C-alpha cells in the first residue's frame, strides 16, 4: 500500500538499530537521575534537583519513542512468543511509570517521585533484558558465565557417551570415534598455534608422532597418565594464568578436557590404517534415493521428499500462494522481469488446472529473456565482467559472448563445464584468471586462481586456505592445492607455504583420484581436456549436486546445502539433493528442465518466510518451510524501474561489442545486466567480479538507502520519467492507476488513491510524480519477491 511507502527496508534497518539505543538511553538517564535524587535527598541541592528534573523528562521521552519504535518493529518483523509479549508490555508499563514519575516530580511530590523512579529503573531494566533475549537468544547471559558448557560442543542429554562411562578396553570402532573427537578438539583449539603452518614452542599437535615428541619444554602427553601430562595441566589452568592454554580465545569446555583426559588414560590411542576425517566429507558418487510414496496432492517428486522432511520436523503444509504472487515470483525468477498487467489479468482469469505449468514452460521458451536474466548469476560465479582490473592490460579475458550464447541455447551443463575447463578461445577467460600487475603472492598466481575457481564454482569446495597452508576447516592440504593447480600450469610449480618457497615441486593430480588420473607428461591443453572429461563423468556426483544446489538457492533463497560453496556441509534433506542431481543427469543435464521441475513443485509455491537476521539463514538448526523472502537483485530492481516507469540506462550504455551481433533487436530495453558496473548497481549489491561471487546478500544496507534517497542515477531517472508521464497522463487518477498496474500488477486501493491524489494534486506535477514513484519503488511489495 502507498500508505506504507515509508516502511522501506533501509528505514526498518535504521529503526532496528535505533531501538536498542533508545532502550539503553533511558536506562542510563533514569539510573543517573535516581542516583542524583538519592544524593539530593541528603544534600538538598537545587542544582542536583534541576539536573534530576531534566534527566527524568528526557529519559521518559526516550522511553516513549522506544516503545513506539519497538511496537512498529514487532509488527514489521513478525516477531512472536512469550518473550516478545513480556518485552512489549513491560516496556509500555515502564514508559507509563517514567511519565508518571516525571509528572510527580513536576508537582514536587518527591516521595512519590522517588518510589516511581526506583520502580521505573527496575522495570526498564527488565524490559531491556527480555529485549536482549529476543535478539541474542534466551541464553545470552548464561552462555558466557564461567563454567557454562558450550551448547554446540555439549552432547545432548539423551545421547549415550561411552567416554564418560567406559571402564574397560575400547573396541576398534570406539578407538576410531575417540580419535576423531580428540583431533576435532585439537583442530578447533590448538592447530592455529601448533601445526605444520605455525609451530609455537616447537610443538605440533596435528599428528600422533608430533604429539608424542612434544616441544621445546619437553613431552606434553604421557600415555596412561593424564595427571602427569603437561597438556592436561595447561588446558586446566584458570583463564588469565600465564601458562594457560589456549592463550587467547575460547577456553576448552569441561567435557573437552575430560575427553582428552580419557584419551590419555586409555593410552593416547591412535587407530591403525587410514584415519577417519574429523570433517564431514560428502559422498562423491551419485546416489538415487527411493522415491517416497505420494500422498493426497503431494505427487511431484520434490514435494514427496519435502513431505518426508516436514513430517520428521512436524511442519504442516501451508496453502500455496495465489496467482498474482506466483506469476510475479516465477517471472522474476526465470526471466528477471515484472509480468505485464495484461498477462497477470489473463493468468488470474485462466481456469485451467495446469496453468502454472503452462506459464513456466512458456517463460522457459523465451530463450533470450532467460539468457539476459541468468547472465548476471553466471557472470558473478565465473568472474566475468565488462570492465575492471586486467582488461586494459590484456591480463584478463571476458567470456560474455560465449556465456550468452550458451544460456540462450540451453547448452547441457556437462558441455558447459567442459568448455569452461578445456576452453575454446571464447570461453578461456574463466581459467585464465587475472594476471595482476606488479608483485603478487604465490596463492594468487593464475594457475592457482584456476584451481581455486574451478573447485569453488563447480565442486563447491574451498581451496583458498589450502593455497597458502594446510586448511584449518577441511582435510585439504597445501600439496593438494598445488597438485591441482599444476594441471593448469605450463611448467611445474614449486610449493610455497605462506608465500615462502619450500624447494618442493608439486605433483600433478585431480582433487578426487577416484575420478581418474591426469597424464603428468601431457601438454597443458591435453591435461585440461583430461580434467574436463574426468569431472563431467556421470560418476562425479559432486559436480551435479553442486549445480542443482546453486539453482535451488537462486529460486528459493537458500541452498539445500548452505553455504553453497561448502558442499561437505550437511544438507537439510540429503535425499532431495541426491534425487535432484540424479534426475538432472537423467534429463541430459538440462538446466531448464531442472528449473521447470522446481518452479512447478508445490514446495516452490509455498508462502515465503523471512529471517530476523542475515546469519539465521546459515544456522545449523535451520528449518526449511518454503522460499526465503528476498530482495530484488540490483539488476531486477533496475529492470523493474525501467519497464514500469522509465529506462534507467540509455541504449548506448549496453556493451554491444562484447555480445552477439543480434542482441540489439532482442533486448526489450537497456537491461542492467549488460551495462558496466557503476555506483548505483554496486549499492544495490552487484559485486566486484575480480573474485568469485556465488551468492548475494538480500539484506538492505545504508549504502543502498543513501543511493535510493540521494543518488544521482535514481533521481535523474525519476526526473526524466516524470516529464514523459505528465505528457501521457494529464489526469491524476489515470496516472496512478496505470503506475500501480505496471509496478505492482494491480489497481490502487481506495486509501492508496486518496494518498496519491494528495501527492499529485488535481493536475500531476513533475515533482509530485517523482515523489509518488519514489515512494512506490521503496515499499516492500515492489522491492521483495514474496
Amino acid at each position: 500500500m502507498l500508505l506504507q511507502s515509508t516502511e522501506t527496508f533501509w528505514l526498518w534497518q535504521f529503526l532496528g538499530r535505533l531501538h536498542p539505543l533508545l532502550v539503553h538511553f533511558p536506562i542510563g538517564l533514569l539510573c543517573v537521575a535516581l542516583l542524583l535524587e538519592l544524593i539530593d535527598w541528603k544534600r538538598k541541592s537545587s542544582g542536583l534537583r534541576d539536573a534530576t528534573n531534566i534527566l527524568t523528562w528526557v529519559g521518559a521521552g526516550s522511553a516513549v519513542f522506544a516503545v513506539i519504535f519497538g511496537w512498529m518493529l514487532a509488527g514489521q518483523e513478525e516477531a512472536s512468543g512469550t518473550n516478545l509479549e513480556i518485552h512489549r508490555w513491560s516496556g509500555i508499563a515502564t514508559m507509563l511509570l517514567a511519565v508518571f514519575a516525571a509528572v510527580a516530580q513536576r508537582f514536587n511530590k518527591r516521595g512519590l517521585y522517588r518510589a516511581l523512579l526506583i520502580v521505573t529503573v527496575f522495570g526498564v531494566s527488565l524490559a531491556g533484558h527480555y529485549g536482549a533475549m529476543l535478539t541474542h537468544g534466551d541464553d545470552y547471559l548464561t552462555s558466557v558465565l564461567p563454567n557454562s558448557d558450550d551448547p554446540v560442543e555439549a552432547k545432548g542429554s539423551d545421547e549415550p557417551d561411552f567416554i564418560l562411562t567406559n571402564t574397560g578396553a575400547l573396541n576398534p570402532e570406539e578407538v576410531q570415534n575417540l580419535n576423531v573427537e580428540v583431533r576435532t578438539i585439537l583442530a578447533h583449539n590448538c592447530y592455529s598455534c601448533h601445526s605444520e603452518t605455525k609451530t609455537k614452542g616447537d610443538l605440533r599437535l596435528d599428528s600422533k608422532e608430533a604429539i608424542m615428541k612434544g616441544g621445546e619444554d619437553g613431552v606434553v602427553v604421557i600415555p596412561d597418565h593424564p595427571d602427569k601430562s603437561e597438556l592436561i595441566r595447561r588446558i586446566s589452568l584458570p583463564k588469565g594464568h600465564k601458562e594457560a592454554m589456549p592463550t587467547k580465545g575460547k577456553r576448552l569446555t569441561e567435557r573437552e578436557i575430560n575427553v582428552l583426559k580419557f584419551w590419555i588414560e586409555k593410552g593416547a590411542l591412535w587407530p591403525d590404517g587410514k584415519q577417519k576425517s574429523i570433517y564431514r566429507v560428502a559422498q562423491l558418487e551419485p546416489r538415487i534415493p527411493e522415491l517416497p510414496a505420494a500422498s493426497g496432492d503431494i505427487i511431484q517428486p520434490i514435494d514427496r521428499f519435502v513431505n518426508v522432511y516436514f513430517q520428521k520436523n512436524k511442519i504442516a503444509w501451508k496453502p500455496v500462494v495465489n496467482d498474482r504472487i506466483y506469476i510475479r515470483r516465477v517471472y522474476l525468477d526465470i526471466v528477471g522481469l515484472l509480468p505485464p498487467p495484461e498477462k497477470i489479468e489473463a493468468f488470474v482469469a485462466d481456469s485451467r488446472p495446469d496453468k502454472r505449468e503452462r506459464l513456466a514452460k512458456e517463460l522457459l521458451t523465451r530463450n533470450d529473456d532467460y539468457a539476459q536474466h541468468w547472465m548476471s548469476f553466471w557472470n558473478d560465479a565465473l568472474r566475468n565482467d565488462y570492465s575492471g582490473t586486467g582488461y586494459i592490460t590484456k591480463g584478463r579475458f571476458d567470456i560474455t559472448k560465449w556465456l550468452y550464447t550458451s544460456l540462450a541455447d540451453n547448452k547441457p551443463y556437462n558441455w558447459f563445464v567442459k568448455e569452461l575447463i578445456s576452453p575454446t578461445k571464447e570461453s578461456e577467460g574463466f581459467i585464465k584468471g587475472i594476471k595482476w600487475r606488479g608483485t603478487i603472492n604465490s596463492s594468487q598466481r593464475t594457475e592457482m586462481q584456476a584451481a581455486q575457481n574451478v573447485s569453488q564454482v563447480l565442486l563447491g569446495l574451498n581451496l583458498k586456505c589450502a593455497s597458502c597452508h594446510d586448511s584449518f576447516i577441511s582435510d585439504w592440504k597445501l600439496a593438494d592445492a598445488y597438485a591441482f593447480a599444476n594441471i593448469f600450469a605450463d611448467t611445474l610449480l614449486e610449493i610455497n607455504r605462506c608465500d615462502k618457497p619450500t624447494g618442493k615441486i608439486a605433483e600433478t593430480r585431480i582433487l578426487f583420484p577416484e575420478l581418474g588420473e591426469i597424464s603428468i607428461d601431457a601438454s597443458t591443453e591435453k591435461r585440461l581436456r583430461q580434467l574436463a572429461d574426468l569431472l563431467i563423468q556421470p560418476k562425479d556426483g559432486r559436480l551435479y549436486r553442486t549445480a542443482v544446489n546453486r539453482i535451488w538457492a537462486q529460486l528459493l533463497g537458500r541452498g539445500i546445502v548452505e553455504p553453497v560453496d561448502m558442499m561437505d556441509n550437511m544438507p537439510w534433506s540429503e535425499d532431495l539433493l541426491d534425487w535432484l542431481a540424479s534426475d538432472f543427469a537423467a534429463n541430459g543435464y538440462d538446466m531448464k528442465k531442472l528449473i521447470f521441475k522446481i518452479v512447478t513443485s508445490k514446495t516452490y509455491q509455498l508462502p515465503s518466510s523471512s529471517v530476523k537476521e542475515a546469519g539465521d539463514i546459515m544456522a545449523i538448526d535451520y528449518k526449511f518451510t518454503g522460499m526465503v523472502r528476498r530482495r530484488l537483485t540490483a539488476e531486477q530492481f533496475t529492470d523493474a524501474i525501467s519497464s514500469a516507469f522509465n529506462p534507467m540506462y540509455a541504449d548506448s550504455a549496453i556493451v554491444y561489442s562484447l555480445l552477439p551481433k543480434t542482441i540489439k533487436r532482442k533486448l526489450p530495453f537497456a537491461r542492467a545486466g549488460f551495462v558496466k558496473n557503476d555506483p548505483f548497481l554496486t549499492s544495490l549489491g552487484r559485486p566486484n567480479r575480480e573474485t568469485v561471487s556465488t551468492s548475494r546478500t538480500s539484506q538492505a544496507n545504508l549504502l543502498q538507502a543513501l543511493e535510493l534517497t540521494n543518488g544521482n542515477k535514481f533521481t535523474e531517472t525519476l526526473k526524466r520519467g516524470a516529464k514523459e508521464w505528465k505528457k501521457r497522463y494529464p489526469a491524476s487518477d489515470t496516472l496512478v492507476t496505470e503506475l500501480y498496474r505496471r509496478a505492482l500488477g494491480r489497481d490502487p486501493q481506495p486509501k492508496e488513491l486518496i494518498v496519491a491524489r494528495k501527492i499529485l494534486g488535481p493536475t500531476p506535477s513533475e515533482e509530485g510524480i517523482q515523489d509518488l514513484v519514489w515512494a512506490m519503488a521503496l515499499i516492500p511489495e515492489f522491492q521483495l519477491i514474496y
Side-chain angles (χ1 to χ4, degrees):
M1 292 176 62
L2 183 59
L3 292 173
Q4 296 172 322
S5 62
T6 57
E7 297 174 8
T8 60
F9 276 126
W10 59 267
L11 179 57
W12 292 116
Q13 291 289 310
F14 177 70
L15 290 182
R17 285 156 176 75
L18 183 62
H19 178 61
L21 294 178
L22 287 173
V23 171
H24 295 143
F25 195 52
I27 290 175
L29 290 177
L30 295 171
C31 284
V32 173
L34 178 59
L35 178 63
L36 293 179
E37 177 62 21
L38 294 175
I39 294 172
D40 178 54
W41 194 3
K42 299 292 184 182
R43 297 186 180 179
K44 307 296 183 184
S45 167
S46 59
L48 286 174
R49 181 160 298 187
D50 290 342
T52 305
N53 292 347
I54 294 171
L55 288 171
T56 304
W57 278 106
V58 175
S62 60
V64 170
F65 279 108
V67 167
I68 294 171
F69 289 164
W71 195 283
M72 292 165 64
L73 283 166
Q76 178 69 15
E77 296 183 1
E78 301 175 355
S80 61
T82 304
N83 288 348
L84 173 67
E85 293 306 310
I86 295 175
H87 176 60
R88 188 203 306 266
W89 292 109
S90 61
I92 293 172
T94 50
M95 172 196 74
L96 294 174
L97 286 169
V99 172
F100 291 154
V103 172
Q105 179 198 57
R106 171 71 179 82
F107 290 100
N108 207 27
K109 305 290 185 181
R110 308 307 296 182
L112 177 61
Y113 164 67
R114 292 185 189 107
L116 287 171
L117 190 56
I118 291 171
V119 176
T120 301
V121 169
F122 280 107
V124 78
S125 300
L126 178 69
H129 169 68
Y130 276 92
M133 289 172 72
L134 285 174
T135 56
H136 299 293
D138 291 356
D139 63 344
Y140 83 102
L141 279 178
T142 57
S143 63
V144 296
L145 291 175
N147 301 319
S148 62
D149 286 337
D150 186 339
V152 176
E153 298 291 343
K155 285 182 175 284
S157 58
D158 59 343
E159 183 179 345
D161 191 347
F162 77 90
I163 289 173
L164 301 181
T165 59
N166 190 291
T167 57
L170 303 181
N171 62 42
E173 184 181 355
E174 289 175 330
V175 171
Q176 182 74 269
N177 291 337
L178 175 59
N179 177 258
V180 169
E181 273 216 70
V182 168
R183 288 189 292 123
T184 301
I185 293 168
L186 296 177
H188 290 164
N189 297 281
C190 310
Y191 281 9
S192 58
C193 292
H194 301 291
S195 65
E196 187 179 11
T197 303
K198 185 178 180 181
T199 313
K200 195 172 180 180
D202 201 26
L203 174 64
R204 284 179 57 180
L205 298 173
D206 54 352
S207 71
K208 179 181 180 180
E209 293 74 21
I211 292 173
M212 296 307 168
K213 177 185 173 184
E216 62 185 21
D217 293 329
V219 176
V220 296
V221 168
I222 301 176
D224 306 318
H225 297 285
D227 55 317
K228 297 179 182 179
S229 296
E230 182 68 7
L231 175 67
I232 300 300
R233 186 184 77 84
R234 291 291 193 101
I235 62 176
S236 302
L237 289 170
K239 188 174 183 179
H241 193 287
K242 64 179 181 179
E243 293 185 338
M245 294 294 174
T247 54
K248 46 190 174 180
K250 188 181 69 172
R251 303 285 293 157
L252 272 69
T253 65
E254 183 179 350
R255 186 183 182 281
E256 288 172 334
I257 294 173
N258 286 338
V259 169
L260 294 176
K261 284 181 179 179
F262 179 84
W263 172 65
I264 297 173
E265 185 181 298
K266 292 294 181 181
L269 298 170
W270 211 272
D272 297 325
K274 187 178 179 182
Q275 289 184 166
K276 185 178 177 182
S277 175
I278 64 174
Y279 305 100
R280 182 180 185 273
V281 179
Q283 185 176 310
L284 178 66
E285 60 273 12
R287 181 178 74 96
I288 306 177
E290 183 179 350
L291 192 63
S295 174
D297 62 346
I298 309 298
I299 300 169
Q300 210 244 40
I302 290 175
D303 299 331
R304 295 195 205 179
F305 285 108
V306 172
N307 190 47
V308 171
Y309 173 84
F310 278 1
Q311 289 176 349
K312 180 181 177 182
N313 290 279
K314 296 180 175 56
I315 298 170
W317 283 92
K318 296 178 181 177
V320 298
V321 296
N322 63 42
D323 287 339
R324 290 184 181 275
I325 292 177
Y326 180 79
I327 188 174
R328 186 177 187 272
R329 182 186 291 185
V330 80
Y331 253 82
L332 287 166
D333 277 342
I334 293 179
V335 296
L337 299 169
L338 294 177
E342 60 275 12
K343 287 280 189 182
I344 297 174
E345 298 308 323
F347 182 71
V348 171
D350 191 345
S351 60
R352 290 176 294 183
D354 64 342
K355 65 180 182 181
R356 296 192 177 189
E357 288 81 0
R358 288 172 178 268
L359 173 62
K361 195 170 290 185
E362 176 200 334
L363 290 173
L364 287 165
T365 60
R366 290 167 54 173
N367 297 335
D368 286 290
D369 289 336
Y370 168 85
Q372 290 159 21
H373 169 57
W374 284 91
M375 273 290 290
S376 294
F377 168 76
W378 286 108
N379 277 340
D380 289 357
L382 302 179
R383 212 163 65 158
N384 181 60
D385 215 337
Y386 314 130
S387 61
T389 303
Y391 288 116
I392 296 175
T393 61
K394 303 298 181 184
R396 185 181 181 189
F397 303 90
D398 80 278
I399 60 171
T400 306
K401 189 178 294 184
W402 173 86
L403 181 55
Y404 184 89
T405 304
S406 297
L407 293 173
D409 294 344
N410 193 31
K411 185 174 290 178
Y413 186 68
N414 57 340
W415 279 99
F416 182 87
V417 171
K418 185 180 177 73
E419 290 181 15
L420 284 172
I421 296 174
S422 177
T424 64
K425 191 70 178 172
E426 284 191 327
S427 64
E428 68 180 359
F430 176 57
I431 63 167
K432 286 282 187 180
I434 300 175
K435 193 174 291 183
W436 301 96
R437 298 182 67 185
T439 303
I440 60 165
N441 61 45
S442 54
S443 66
Q444 280 301 301
R445 57 185 306 156
T446 54
E447 300 91 343
M448 191 59 80
Q449 288 179 48
Q452 292 168 356
N453 296 341
V454 168
S455 62
Q456 180 181 353
V457 175
L458 304 179
L459 299 172
L461 66 89
N462 181 0
L463 272 192
K464 291 181 180 176
C465 293
S467 302
C468 189
H469 52 74
D470 291 350
S471 176
F472 294 139
I473 60 172
S474 70
D475 285 326
W476 296 109
K477 307 296 183 186
L478 181 64
D480 297 324
Y482 268 90
F484 191 48
N486 247 348
I487 300 173
F488 304 91
D490 293 328
T491 58
L492 293 176
L493 302 175
E494 178 186 3
I495 296 176
N496 282 249
R497 186 179 303 281
C498 296
D499 219 25
K500 294 180 181 178
T502 64
K504 298 178 182 178
I505 300 300
E507 299 178 52
T508 303
R509 66 172 184 273
I510 194 170
L511 289 171
F512 299 99
E514 305 96 307
L515 297 175
E517 295 182 356
I518 300 293
S519 301
I520 299 174
D521 298 327
S523 65
T524 306
E525 183 181 359
K526 186 175 180 181
R527 288 198 305 274
L528 293 177
R529 196 157 54 241
Q530 289 176 344
L531 175 62
D533 289 339
L534 292 176
L535 286 182
I536 65 172
Q537 293 176 97
K539 69 178 184 179
D540 183 7
R542 188 178 186 108
L543 177 73
Y544 303 116
R545 286 189 193 97
T546 302
V548 299
N549 189 58
R550 293 198 189 286
I551 300 302
W552 182 278
Q554 281 297 111
L555 297 173
L556 284 104
R558 186 198 192 272
I560 301 172
V561 176
E562 200 64 46
V564 292
D565 294 334
M566 298 181 71
M567 287 299 292
D568 287 314
N569 285 356
M570 180 63 77
W572 57 259
S573 174
E574 194 166 11
D575 283 350
L576 174 59
L577 178 65
D578 285 345
W579 184 87
L580 280 171
S582 62
D583 185 70
F584 180 51
N587 280 291
Y589 311 102
D590 189 316
M591 277 291 182
K592 288 188 176 181
K593 286 183 179 178
L594 170 65
I595 292 171
F596 177 81
K597 195 148 288 185
I598 294 174
V599 302
T600 56
S601 68
K602 184 178 179 182
T603 301
Y604 174 83
Q605 299 173 52
L606 288 171
S608 62
S609 59
S610 60
V611 291
K612 290 183 179 179
E613 298 290 339
D616 292 350
I617 206 168
M618 302 292 180
I620 296 172
D621 59 351
Y622 170 83
K623 291 289 186 291
F624 174 80
T625 57
M627 189 193 88
V628 177
R629 194 173 305 149
R630 59 199 192 275
R631 188 165 50 92
L632 297 179
T633 65
E635 293 84 358
Q636 286 172 327
F637 178 84
T638 304
D639 289 349
I641 293 295
S642 295
S643 61
F645 182 60
N646 188 67
M648 288 201 66
Y649 291 95
D651 287 343
S652 57
I654 298 294
V655 289
Y656 288 117
S657 61
L658 304 179
L659 291 159
K661 292 180 180 178
T662 56
I663 193 68
K664 284 191 177 182
R665 57 186 172 82
K666 294 179 177 179
L667 282 170
F669 51 85
R671 294 195 66 170
F674 296 101
V675 302
K676 294 178 181 179
N677 207 0
D678 62 12
F680 180 78
L681 294 173
T682 298
S683 70
L684 267 65
R686 178 158 148 181
N688 177 338
R689 290 170 177 154
E690 290 178 3
T691 58
V692 166
S693 179
T694 52
S695 60
R696 298 188 189 179
T697 178
S698 190
Q699 201 78 357
N701 55 55
L702 182 59
L703 182 60
Q704 176 197 351
L706 292 173
E707 190 66 36
L708 292 178
T709 51
N710 297 304
N712 184 63
K713 184 70 185 174
F714 195 41
T715 301
E716 289 302 315
T717 300
L718 297 182
K719 285 182 179 178
R720 291 194 309 271
K723 291 180 180 178
E724 296 299 319
W725 277 70
K726 184 179 178 182
K727 290 178 186 176
R728 277 182 286 169
Y729 302 101
S732 292
D733 285 5
T734 307
L735 186 149
V736 173
T737 300
E738 184 62 21
L739 187 58
Y740 264 80
R741 285 172 55 79
R742 287 199 193 182
L744 304 179
R746 62 175 176 82
D747 290 335
Q749 296 178 12
K751 288 183 179 179
E752 293 171 325
L753 196 56
I754 292 170
V755 175
R757 284 172 183 157
K758 290 181 180 178
I759 295 174
L760 295 177
T763 304
S765 66
E766 291 182 15
E767 292 78 9
I769 296 171
Q770 289 178 49
D771 289 344
L772 177 61
V773 175
W774 179 84
M776 290 184 64
L778 298 186
I779 61 174
E781 188 178 352
F782 184 82
Q783 287 214 351
L784 290 176
I785 299 178
Y786 280 96

